[in-house]
């Protein structure tokens, strides 16, 4: 028997909204991608050839699942049209089906089954009506039944449930965690049935693990944390000091900041989702919950553009004063390449007050090498011309947030205020902060 | 150990296939020297596709269609990594183009989307009057 | 690229062979069955060894013109290399894609009558 798995995009649009970074077919349920459960079921039913059909992109799924050799099957990929019905699916894959017995799984549904039972009899059942159905799709057998030793043993139980919302996703994940590895083939190591741990996982001596738990790969669990009961921790996750995670799912690539209690939630990046109401909350405070991933390139581009515009305006405003004062200071030998000039003499004081010392740096904002406001640029200006690829938390800039807030420009205090703004800034707020920095310097200069 | 292969082609649409086949063959060569899975067509296809797109683009946007104008393609073979750069002397452009909306049945604009998807890294710089697109992929 | 046209009832099968890129894609519109917007066609891609965005654009353009004239364009026998280009660009949504040319012809014939 062959299997066609046909999943139309319309059934999983909610995944894009709830977990934008995740391909719906690879959405992890208890750290195992969704599609692998369906492939496992097809194999239990005796399929050696499985084809995945979608009206959306499959490239990512193809990269993940490959040719199917790791399951010992032939896995192929093809496309369907959003309007296709079951007959059309058979027509479009006629060569694949070869006129033989074919099981068609449609919809974005979770199949609950038991890996210890045999589903091979599905190939011999003579029925054209769906053998399982739910609002989101069906399991149907098409083509002539295969003749086989049918001892008329009762078919092993299985059922399908639509995965149609964050609520059902949470519920099914938790059920899978409870029933655990006795029913499904689950990833990770574990000598106990309801505790599995992936590769490269570091668990602090003072952390507590309360079953059932499932932990993915590359996870750090720091001191004094309590994981579980009923916690699903994805891959590439850091659980910081003193956190507790229970009855919750932490999606891949998430950082859980210090002393946070997560109970009955789904955490993904910097978003916390309440699985009972489906309400999601994006955390403002970076010390509670931070996405590890860097910012989207489009956001960086937007920020760079607005910063460059602001720099241009400043350049125009400062142009005449600069032309007048620069030769004077240069002749007096008071102009140094270090922008943090000593305010000696009237001309020097005036130059610093109206921030002429930063004039040359503004050009670098226009070329995108610096930001107009960000972290303290003191280190940048020490005659170095290398601008390291700065992450979101340290953007080298002409003015610093510490200057805008009138905090001491040096020391760790400044680092905190800069870190805070680096996380919370928007391009428009940045302009406001730049103006504040300019005014602060002007009033201090007097 | 690095090997560098340079190909200078006239800025003419007729040479698109030459460029893309060269890319595919170079990628296969690297894959075979690294004893990689020879049944894996994706690595060489990625370069075949990306170079086909980038070369077509360079020719499409060329301003003076003179025989002297060249598109230069350089392949740098490193350990388990292939890098390709394409240089042309056309007007500067932006690689931040919006993705076409499928509902309107667009006939153009898929090129960069394809390059970005099949390659690991893609970058564009303008230097000495040249557009330089650099792309690379790990084996 | 070579183009072979054969007729199966009211449906024309256009079999493409070779490479469809920016240098060959314009040839597609020279095919009489493609150029005639009223004619439904099945485009057999089995022997296409390479297709890039120019080739894809030509097929999408053909589909648009024919759909406006109420004719159908069906694709058949895409190999994984060709499918990848459709997959990445999301154009799979626009086409009806078959793994068997005769199934596509049957579909087109019944579709026309209905």
């Amino acid at each position: 028997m062959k299997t066609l798995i046909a999943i139309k995009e319309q059934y999983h649009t909610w995944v894009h909204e709830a977990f934008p970074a995740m391909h719906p077919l690879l959405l992890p349920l208890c750290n195992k991608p969704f599609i692998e459960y369906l492939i496992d079921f097809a194999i239990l039913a005796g399929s050696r050839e499985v084809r995945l059909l979608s009206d959306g992109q499959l490239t990512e799924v193809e990269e993940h699942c490959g040719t199917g050799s790791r399951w010992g099957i032939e896995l192929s990929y093809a496309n369907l049209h959003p309007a296709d019905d079951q007959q059309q699916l058979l027509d479009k894959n006629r060569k694949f089906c070869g006129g033989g017995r074919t099981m068609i799984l449609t919809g974005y549904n979770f199949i609950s089954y038991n890996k210890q039972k045999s589903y091979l009899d599905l190939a011999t059942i003579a029925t054209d009506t769906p053998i399982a159905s739910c609002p989101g799709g069906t399991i149907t057998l098409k083509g002539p039944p295969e003749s086989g030793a049918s001892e008329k043993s009762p078919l092993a139980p299985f059922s399908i449930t639509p995965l149609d919302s964050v609520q059902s996703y949470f519920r099914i994940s938790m059920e899978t965690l409870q029933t655990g590895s006795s029913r499904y083939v689950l990833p990770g190591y574990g000598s106990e049935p309801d505790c599995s741990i992936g590769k490269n996982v570091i668990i602090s001596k003072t952390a507590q693990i309360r079953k059932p738990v499932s932990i993915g790969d590359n996870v750090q669990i720091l001191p004094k944390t309590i994981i579980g009961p009923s916690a699903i921790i994805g891959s590439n996750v850091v659980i910081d000091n003193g956190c507790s995670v229970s009855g919750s799912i932490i999606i891949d690539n998430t950082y859980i900041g210090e002393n946070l209690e997560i109970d009955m939630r789904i955490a993904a990046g910097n978003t916390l989702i309440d699985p009972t109401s489906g309400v999601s909350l994006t955390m403002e405070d970076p010390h509670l919950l931070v996405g590890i991933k860097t910012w989207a390139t489009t956001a960086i581009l937007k920020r760079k553009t607005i910063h460059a515009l602001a720099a241009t305006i400043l350049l125009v405003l400062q142009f005449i004063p600069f032309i007048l004062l620069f030769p004077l200071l240069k002749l007096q030998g008071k102009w140094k390449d270090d922008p943090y000039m000593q305010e000696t003499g009237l001309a020097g004081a005036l130059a610093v007050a109206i921030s002429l010392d930063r004039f040359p740096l503004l050009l670098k904002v226009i070329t995108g090498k610096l930001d107009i406001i960000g972290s303290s640029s003191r280190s940048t200006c020490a005659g170095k011309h290398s601008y390291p690829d700065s992450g979101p938390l340290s953007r080298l800039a002409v003015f610093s947030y510490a200057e805008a807030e009138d905090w001491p420009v040096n020391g760790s205090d400044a680092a905190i205020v800069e870190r805070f703004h680096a996380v919370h800034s928007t391009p428009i707020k940045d302009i406001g902060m730049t103006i504040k920095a300019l005014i602060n310097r002007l009033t201090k200069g007097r | 150990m690095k090997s560098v292969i340079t190909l200078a082609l006239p800025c003419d649409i007729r040479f698109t296939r030459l460029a893309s086949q060269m890319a595919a063959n170079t990628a296969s060569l690297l894959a075979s020297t690294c004893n990689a899975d020879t049944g894996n067509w994706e690595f060489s296809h990625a370069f075949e596709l990306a170079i086909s797109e980038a070369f077509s683009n360079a020719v499409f946007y060329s301003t003076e269609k003179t025989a002297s104008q060249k598109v230069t393609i350089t392949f740098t073979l490193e350990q388990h990594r292939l890098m390709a750069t394409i240089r042309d002397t056309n007007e500067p452009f932006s690689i931040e183009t919006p993705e076409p909306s499928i509902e309107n049945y667009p006939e153009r604009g898929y090129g960069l989307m394809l390059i970005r998807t099949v390659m690991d890294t893609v970058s564009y710089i303008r230097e000495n009057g040249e557009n330089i697109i650099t792309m690379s992929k790990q084996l | 690229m070579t183009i072979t046209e054969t007729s199966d009832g009211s449906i024309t099968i256009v079999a493409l062979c070779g490479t469809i890129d920016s240098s060959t894609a314009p040839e597609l519109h020279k095919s009489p069955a493609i150029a005639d917007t009223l004619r439904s066609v099945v485009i057999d891609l089995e022997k296409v060894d390479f297709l890039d965005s120019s080739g894809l654009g030509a097929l999408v353009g053909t589909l648009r013109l024919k759909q406006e004239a109420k004719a159908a364009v069906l694709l058949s026998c895409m190999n994984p290399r060709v499918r990848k280009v459709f997959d990445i660009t999301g154009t799979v949504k626009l086409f009806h894609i078959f793994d068997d040319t005769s199934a596509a012809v049957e579909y087109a014939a019944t579709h026309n009558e209905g």
Side-chain angles (χ1 to χ4, degrees), chain A residues 104-315:
Chain A
I104 309 177
L105 312 179
T106 60
Y108 191 60
N109 305 313
F110 183 75
I111 306 180
S112 81
Y113 55 86
N114 189 336
K115 69 177 178 187
Q116 292 165 33
K117 298 274 164 44
S118 166
Y119 294 88
L120 295 173
D121 282 347
L122 285 177
T124 60
I125 299 173
T127 172
D128 252 7
T129 54
I131 52 168
S133 65
C134 71
T138 56
I139 302 180
T140 318
L141 299 164
K142 293 279 182 186
E146 285 170 11
S147 59
S150 188
E151 294 158 12
K152 287 285 162 248
S153 59
L155 194 64
F158 63 96
S159 63
I160 59 175
T161 322
L163 256 177
D164 53 5
S165 60
V166 174
Q167 288 91 330
S168 58
Y169 168 69
F170 184 78
R171 187 169 42 81
I172 292 169
S173 294
M174 285 300 160
E175 279 170 18
T176 309
L177 180 68
Q178 312 289 343
T179 46
S181 47
S182 63
R183 290 179 71 97
Y184 307 105
V185 182
L186 292 178
Y189 305 95
S191 54
E192 295 160 72
D194 43 7
C195 175
S196 77
I197 294 174
K199 287 173 278 187
N200 193 21
V201 172
I202 300 164
I203 300 176
S204 159
K205 274 189 278 188
T206 54
Q208 292 180 41
I209 307 286
R210 297 174 180 172
K211 297 189 294 181
V213 289
S214 168
I215 298 173
D217 298 334
N218 310 316
V219 173
Q220 284 194 56
I221 294 175
L222 292 160
K224 295 182 188 130
T225 48
I226 301 170
I227 307 297
S230 298
I232 301 173
I233 315 284
S235 293
N236 310 319
V237 169
V238 179
I239 312 279
D240 213 333
N241 290 313
C243 286
S244 73
V245 179
S246 58
S248 298
I249 303 174
I250 313 293
I251 300 285
D252 298 3
N253 307 313
T254 300
Y255 169 74
I256 304 293
E258 286 187 340
N259 301 321
L260 188 66
E261 246 176 70
I262 296 187
D263 182 47
M264 290 292 288
R265 292 287 182 274
I266 302 174
N270 64 341
T271 306
L272 265 187
I273 303 169
D274 180 342
T276 48
S277 64
V279 173
S280 73
L281 171 75
T282 302
M283 302 299 285
E284 277 293 317
D285 194 321
H287 297 293
L288 290 185
L289 193 66
V290 180
I292 288 176
K293 283 206 169 159
T294 49
W295 293 3
T297 45
T298 46
I300 293 173
L301 192 76
K302 188 177 158 205
R303 192 188 76 221
K304 293 261 183 214
T305 315
I306 290 177
H307 280 210
L309 275 174
T312 315
I313 293 167
L314 259 183
L315 272 174

Side-chain angles (χ1 to χ4, degrees), chain B residues 17 48 52-53 56 102 105, chain C residues 19 22 52-53 67 81 89:
Chain B
R17 191 64 188 135
E48 188 175 8
S52 189
E53 300 298 346
S56 307
I102 297 304
Y105 293 70
Chain C
T19 300
S22 55
D52 77 356
S53 71
Q67 274 191 351
R81 296 155 55 85
T89 53

